[in-house]
Amino acid sequence: MANNKIPAQVGRVESNVNEASPSGAEADEPFVQPVTLNRIALLMQEMGYRGKVTKGEDCCWVESASNGIKFNIYAFCERPLDPDSEARSIQFDGGWGGLSSWDARRCVMLCNRFNHDWRYAKAFVSADQDRYSLTVKLDHYCPIGLADEEFCVVADMYIRLIEDMAKRAFASSDESMNAMTERHKAATTMMWSHDGDPDKALAIFVANAHAGYGPSLNSLGVLTRK
């Protein structure tokens, strides 16, 4: 679902503009212009990012990237194949494919926390047979157009969002796997040793299993069959 505006960020920009401008100084007011893909591409370039209009069979879009993270910007308009057609809303859409089933299960929980923290964005995991992908989207309405400043705020917000997800999902993935491996080993010892703690071991297996850790899932399966 699209949001009418990016609540805090856009509000701060509008507030700063109003505070810096004398009352009634129309020359300092943001100039609202129609939103088109060609304009979006130019604005992304002015921000220092890639901005390239690409045409597909059914529509065109702007390709961009930040710190190696690729994303697209779509414009919802009457003529999807015309990069000069005026958009009613825009959508930032990016993410990562090729996730393992373990990564996919772990990312589902990350998406839940991410969506709670950033209510106006949407992160989710999708599956195509045995292939998984993680997507982060941000929608923004612009039925009467956007000023350059507002578009830059929205674009900057999305870039921060997708970089935040990258840190959550991948920056510590190796550390997380190592930690779960060590916990699983400790839980196995606690479960089967004569002076162990089966209840604590079971809790560790369950926690690891919820994160998608295979060996702990197998251990729970063995315990269930007993």
Side-chain angles (χ1 to χ4, degrees):
M1 295 291 292
N3 291 333
N4 196 35
K5 65 165 72 174
I6 305 302
Q9 295 296 321
V10 173
R12 280 201 290 270
V13 169
E14 293 173 346
S15 176
N16 291 339
V17 170
N18 291 333
E19 290 174 2
S21 303
S23 176
E26 295 182 0
D28 292 335
E29 293 181 359
F31 178 52
V32 174
Q33 303 178 60
V35 178
T36 68
L37 287 174
N38 279 332
R39 180 171 170 237
I40 288 173
L42 290 175
L43 287 172
M44 293 303 297
Q45 293 169 19
E46 291 177 4
M47 292 177 67
Y49 299 101
R50 182 186 182 192
K52 177 186 176 183
V53 176
T54 300
K55 288 190 176 182
E57 294 182 1
D58 301 320
C59 68
C60 52
W61 61 90
V62 173
E63 293 182 352
S64 190
S66 173
N67 292 328
I69 306 171
K70 297 180 180 179
F71 60 90
N72 297 326
I73 308 171
Y74 298 95
F76 297 97
C77 52
E78 293 183 359
R79 301 185 302 278
L81 286 170
D82 181 3
D84 286 317
S85 183
E86 297 181 14
R88 301 181 302 274
S89 65
I90 57 176
Q91 181 183 83
F92 293 78
D93 184 336
W96 304 265
L99 301 181
S100 67
S101 58
W102 181 85
D103 279 331
R105 286 190 289 268
R106 182 172 59 86
C107 285
V108 167
M109 292 187 292
L110 290 176
C111 288
N112 291 336
R113 290 195 292 269
F114 180 91
N115 293 334
H116 179 269
D117 294 339
W118 305 106
R119 299 296 179 89
Y120 40 84
K122 178 68 175 179
F124 57 92
V125 174
S126 56
D128 181 7
Q129 296 182 350
D130 59 346
R131 297 180 180 179
Y132 302 90
S133 60
L134 170 61
T135 301
V136 178
K137 292 187 177 184
L138 174 64
D139 294 299
H140 189 69
Y141 281 129
C142 50
I144 61 171
L146 289 176
D148 289 352
E149 294 89 340
E150 185 175 356
F151 173 83
C152 292
V153 167
V154 177
D156 184 62
M157 174 60 72
Y158 179 76
I159 290 168
R160 294 184 186 184
L161 291 173
I162 200 167
E163 289 179 349
D164 178 56
M165 176 54 82
K167 292 177 182 178
R168 297 183 189 218
F170 305 111
S172 60
S173 59
D174 291 340
E175 291 84 349
S176 298
M177 175 65 82
N178 292 336
M180 284 190 288
T181 300
E182 292 303 317
R183 288 198 297 269
H184 177 80
K185 290 179 180 178
T188 301
T189 301
M190 284 188 286
M191 178 62 71
W192 306 115
S193 63
H194 68 280
D195 58 347
D197 188 341
D199 291 337
K200 186 175 181 180
L202 180 61
I204 293 173
F205 287 150
V206 170
N208 277 3
H210 279 305
Y213 186 69
S216 291
L217 286 167
N218 292 337
S219 295
L220 286 177
V222 171
L223 292 171
T224 301
R225 290 194 294 269
K226 286 184 174 297

